[in-house]
Amino acid sequence: MTIVGKTNQSARFRRSRWLMTLLLGLYFVYTFVPIWYVITSSTKTNPDLFTSFGLWFASDFHLWQNLYDLFTIQHGIFRIWLWNTFYYSLVSGLGAAVFATMAGYAFAKYEFFGKKFVFALVLGAVMIPQTALVIPIFLLLSKVGLLNTPFAVILPQLVFPFGVFLMRVEIDAVSVDEIIDAGRVDGAGEFHIFSNLGFRLLMPGITTVFILAFVASWNNYFLPLVVLNSTEHFPVTVGLAQWYASAVSGSGGALLFTVVMAGALVSILPVIIAFLIMQRFWQGGLSAGGVKA
């Protein structure tokens, strides 16, 4: 007679469950501790930042003053950096999602000469570190006169090979050939079929690619650092890095480390908000795909 909960199999299951829970807990601590440090550090004065415990608040709650200093230093240049970052990320994310979806649809639903070879090149591009391409991109942009412009940041990020791979997999999984064939029989053009019949089915994948491209652009540091030299074009990553370098060298004057930490705190909020907003479209796309499939 076997007693439920007393078998060797259930014991192994409990041990594996506790092990996975422990690993997830360690991963949560590993990822959350830096965020918590930014939160606590942005509430301190400059002396408290170096004298108090780093993972807890100091007696003097200085967050509002740090935020005021953040948005007023250098005539409010941080607001320009924040807008630049949002503009670069939004345009790059939307463009990358559209182009990746169109390319993934072509790879999934059309047959053309060299299809396997071209897709192999796309997969190979996924393996290339983006930092290795910055110098060739810099030389190319210098030839066409786009250095130190928003296009120098946006155009390279419209190419998102990993998004093409994701969208091909997504289209192969959810797109029904019978729907496409029915649209062709009814006389619908290829673009009409793609935009009206397949778009709602692909919404979860499009949303995923957009979020990945948006976050990648928001966190991008090396590319803007190389292709931009005017302060008014900087994103938040480059601007805060320059402020930090000034504070470390002692040439920042009134520029404090706590202001940089407050800037880091503000810079992560739009990414969280973007994910929460896009989650609604994510869930809606899943529901629509389930009904149509």
Side-chain angles (χ1 to χ4, degrees):
M1 178 178 180
T2 302
I3 301 176
V4 177
K6 296 296 184 179
T7 63
N8 293 332
Q9 184 177 1
S10 62
R12 289 196 300 269
F13 173 75
R14 286 196 300 270
R15 287 196 298 269
S16 63
R17 185 178 61 181
W18 279 109
L19 178 60
M20 292 301 299
T21 302
L22 177 61
L23 292 176
L24 289 175
L26 292 176
Y27 181 76
F28 172 78
V29 172
Y30 176 77
T31 55
F32 184 72
V33 165
I35 300 176
W36 180 250
Y37 177 78
V38 171
I39 294 174
T40 57
S41 298
S42 61
T43 65
K44 300 178 181 180
T45 62
N46 202 52
D48 288 339
L49 183 64
F50 297 97
T51 58
S52 62
F53 179 58
L55 296 179
W56 196 247
F57 302 96
S59 57
D60 186 6
F61 190 80
H62 214 248
L63 175 63
W64 310 122
Q65 183 61 43
N66 291 337
L67 292 176
Y68 175 80
D69 295 337
L70 173 67
F71 287 99
T72 56
I73 285 179
Q74 296 182 7
H75 307 289
I77 190 65
F78 182 79
R79 287 174 290 181
I80 299 177
W81 295 344
L82 199 61
W83 165 252
N84 290 341
T85 309
F86 177 76
Y87 174 68
Y88 299 156
S89 302
L90 181 64
V91 176
S92 300
L94 290 175
V98 170
F99 291 139
T101 302
M102 296 175 69
Y105 186 84
F107 280 121
K109 296 305 176 184
Y110 296 129
E111 295 295 332
F112 53 89
F113 178 76
K115 172 181 173 179
K116 292 183 179 180
F117 176 73
V118 175
F119 190 69
L121 291 179
V122 173
L123 294 180
V126 175
M127 308 301 174
I128 300 176
Q130 295 301 307
T131 53
L133 301 176
V134 171
I135 300 304
I137 290 174
F138 172 83
L139 297 176
L140 179 62
L141 292 173
S142 66
K143 292 292 184 181
V144 296
L146 291 179
L147 288 179
N148 198 36
T149 65
F151 293 105
V153 179
I154 294 173
L155 290 179
Q157 298 182 110
L158 296 179
V159 181
F160 194 34
F162 185 64
V164 176
F165 170 74
L166 285 180
M167 289 311 302
R168 181 179 181 178
V169 174
E170 175 76 7
I171 292 167
D172 282 334
V174 304
S175 183
V176 182
D177 291 335
E178 287 76 10
I179 297 177
I180 299 175
D181 293 336
R184 290 170 179 166
V185 171
D186 291 338
E190 295 297 325
F191 183 77
H192 179 81
I193 295 173
F194 168 74
S195 59
N196 290 277
L197 299 181
F199 188 79
R200 289 178 63 86
L201 294 175
L202 302 176
M203 183 59 71
I206 296 172
T207 304
T208 301
V209 173
F210 171 77
I211 291 176
L212 292 176
F214 183 90
V215 173
S217 178
W218 190 277
N219 294 331
N220 200 348
Y221 169 73
F222 192 47
L223 176 65
L225 177 67
V226 173
V227 301
L228 300 176
N229 53 45
S230 298
T231 306
E232 62 270 16
H233 292 317
F234 283 172
V236 167
T237 51
V238 179
L240 290 180
Q242 285 204 349
W243 276 2
Y244 179 78
S246 298
V248 170
S249 64
S251 60
L255 186 62
L256 303 177
F257 288 98
T258 50
V259 175
V260 177
M261 301 305 296
L265 175 63
V266 172
S267 67
I268 65 177
L269 296 179
V271 178
I272 298 174
I273 294 173
F275 177 80
L276 295 177
I277 293 175
M278 295 305 297
Q279 190 177 25
R280 176 169 63 90
F281 297 97
W282 210 337
Q283 295 172 347
L286 287 173
S287 300
V291 172
K292 288 185 176 294

